[in-house]
Amino acid sequence: MVAISLSAGAVARIRFAVSCLWEAVASIRVLRDPGDHAVHLPWVRRVRPPLVEAGLAGPNGGLLWQLVPAPPGYLADFLTPPPTGLIPDLAAELAALRATPGDTVRAHLDLYPGERTPALAALYADPPAGLQRLTEEIEAYWRIALAPDWPRLRLLLDADVTARTRLLAEEGAAALLNDLHRQVRWEADTLLVAQRHCLAPDVTDGPGLVLIPSVFVWPSVLSVSAGDAPQLAYPARGLGTLWERSTGVPEALAAVLGRGRARLLTELTSPVSTTELARRSEMSPAGVSQHLTALRAAGLVVTHRRGRALLSARTDLAEALLSATG
């Protein structure tokens, strides 16, 4: 159990961020131990063969693969510098990673058990050159493993932030922190995290705690203290249906609403954009927009803005209708 004391000022400065690097690092942990991350098995089966062929995973995996052990092994904090906000930028995060001081890299590598592999020894001996190699591997990994699915993942992460900021507004910071995960508890001005490896210090001043929704950190949480602010990565909501394909439209619902509108309701398992709905349903964006207008008028869909995107979600009435029609 790790205890992080948060001052009143630090609680007031709690913020959310979305991170490409967190998803890259956490997804490698999934590839290393897919049996413990069953919800992601469809993704693992699809991306593992090309990653192994590229030398980015498996027995011949490179520096990135060697730095990220299977859970619950120690994960170097320098791999995930604090992200800056809700608009993730892989290039900016990689630039921050390359700027990690050599002493920090060596200090974190000293925490790895056992003898260093040649790749880790080279990183220890020459951190700037090693970090350059590492960021190039991350870019290659991202293109193969995550870029094709990033729009879908990003929407799920954004929807999680929207739901939790609403909880923060309605019930306060204590309710927010206690709702993150079963391993996280807020008690007597202290954040308790049931995790073995965590170097996060008490937070009295500075930027405060950074909360990072993650697709691939499920079913656990990860916390680090890289940079000035401790970070807590937790599983985003809605992961259960992330990789599922549509099971079809209930005929009773299609008879009432029409097949197109019924299809959209069944696809709205989490808040999504019109563009994503068009991709899932194989309709035109204009057609999706027209159907959503009708569904909103009937009280079955609500739409809210998230940054530049408009996200649509089912209402309680729609959930009841779907349940009743099977």
Side-chain angles (χ1 to χ4, degrees), residues 10 55 95 154 230 246 255 305:
R154 173 75 188 279
S246 175
R305 180 172 294 279

Side-chain angles (χ1 to χ4, degrees), residues 50 60 67 74 76 86 92 96 101 109 119 142 149 155 173-174 196 199 220 230 244 249 254 301 315:
N60 298 318
L67 279 168
Y74 170 71
L86 296 176
L109 289 178
W142 180 269
D149 296 306
L155 285 169
R196 288 179 57 189
L199 303 178
S220 186
E244 288 182 359
V249 178
V301 166
T315 64

